[in-house]
Amino acid sequence: MLEHLSLPETVRLALRRKILNDELPAGTRLVEAGIAEEYGVSRATVRQALRDLSNEGLVDINPRRYSMVTRMSTEDIQDICYARCVLESAAARDAVTNLPSGFFERLEQLVQEMDGAARAGDMQELVDIDTRFHREIVLASGRRRLAELWETMNGHMYALMRSSLDRQQLEMAEAAGRHRLVISGLASGDPERIESVIHAHYLEPTLPADTGG
């Protein structure tokens, strides 16, 4: 645990990692008193951590009953993926006309790190790398307002990834290959292919992973 984090943040991160790695699967009840005892903190601290996890879409809080690990609905998954697809497609079309130095090298490095996180079974690390990958594309567009809007959707990425894997029965190991397809599309420089690849990445989750390199 990192010393500079507040107690609620520390508990939130610990619980989030357990939820993402399915140590606390969907439907698990989260009892404030038990969590407080486990981490040696107050129930107020646990309550704040659970509220933050609720804002991320990972926990459902019912004040009259109990808190519970939850998953996003299929409709919510589709809505968020659609919004990200629209923004990222627009960003990518602009980005490829003036790519920053080392752009593809950074993307490939991130894919390799993603592969390592998947092999280690570390869902939280995988999501963090995934977010960095797509941020590179959005920032390369040079459109600050678009990037700011895109960032507002990142708070639900942990819930989105965990829920998507569960509902669509995807494997973490597929992540690297699917992102290499995005790199291939961007490298083509063809606006239509870029849009098609990003659409497939977000809205056609059963697309086979690239097996080359």
Side-chain angles (χ1 to χ4, degrees):
M1 294 185 180
L2 303 178
E3 292 182 357
H4 69 275
L5 295 177
S6 68
L7 286 176
E9 287 175 318
T10 299
V11 175
R12 173 176 62 87
L13 292 177
L15 291 175
R16 180 207 278 165
R17 185 173 292 278
K18 287 186 175 183
I19 292 170
L20 293 178
N21 292 339
D22 229 17
E23 296 171 47
L24 294 173
T28 301
R29 294 187 184 187
L30 301 172
V31 181
E32 287 182 9
I35 296 171
E37 181 178 356
E38 178 180 357
Y39 292 102
V41 298
S42 68
R43 292 183 64 171
T45 293
V46 174
R47 200 170 299 124
Q48 180 60 55
L50 293 177
R51 280 197 294 265
D52 292 341
L53 290 170
S54 177
N55 290 336
E56 293 182 6
L58 292 168
V59 170
D60 180 43
I61 297 176
N62 187 328
R64 298 182 180 180
R65 300 177 64 192
Y66 47 78
S67 299
M68 183 174 68
V69 176
T70 190
R71 294 287 184 261
M72 275 187 173
S73 68
T74 300
E75 182 179 4
D76 285 344
I77 292 172
Q78 292 172 343
D79 284 351
I80 292 175
C81 285
Y82 181 80
R84 292 177 71 86
C85 175
V86 170
L87 290 177
E88 194 167 324
S89 294
R93 286 196 301 270
D94 283 352
V96 293
T97 63
N98 189 29
L99 288 174
S101 176
F103 176 76
F104 288 111
E105 289 81 359
R106 287 192 296 276
L107 291 188
E108 182 56 40
Q109 177 61 38
L110 288 169
V111 168
Q112 291 178 21
E113 292 177 17
M114 199 177 293
D115 203 21
R119 287 197 302 271
D122 191 339
M123 172 64 73
Q124 178 160 298
E125 181 67 9
L126 182 66
V127 175
D128 288 341
I129 298 168
D130 176 275
T131 301
R132 287 159 53 200
F133 179 96
H134 292 283
R135 182 181 289 118
E136 286 282 350
I137 298 171
V138 173
L139 291 178
S141 72
R143 295 190 177 275
R144 181 172 61 86
R145 294 295 186 185
L146 186 150
E148 290 175 353
L149 182 58
W150 181 85
E151 289 286 354
T152 64
M153 294 186 289
N154 285 340
H156 286 90
M157 278 305 296
Y158 298 106
L160 177 66
M161 186 75 82
R162 180 69 267 173
S163 299
S164 295
L165 289 176
D166 286 356
R167 293 183 183 278
Q168 296 155 8
Q169 297 184 328
L170 300 175
E171 297 293 333
M172 289 175 64
E174 297 179 46
R178 292 178 58 78
H179 285 77
R180 284 196 173 94
L181 287 175
V182 174
I183 294 176
S184 176
L186 292 168
S188 74
D190 179 352
E192 290 188 5
R193 183 178 175 191
I194 291 168
E195 186 167 353
S196 175
V197 166
I198 292 176
H199 182 279
H201 182 79
Y202 281 112
L203 301 174
E204 300 172 23
T206 58
L207 186 72
D210 183 11
T211 57

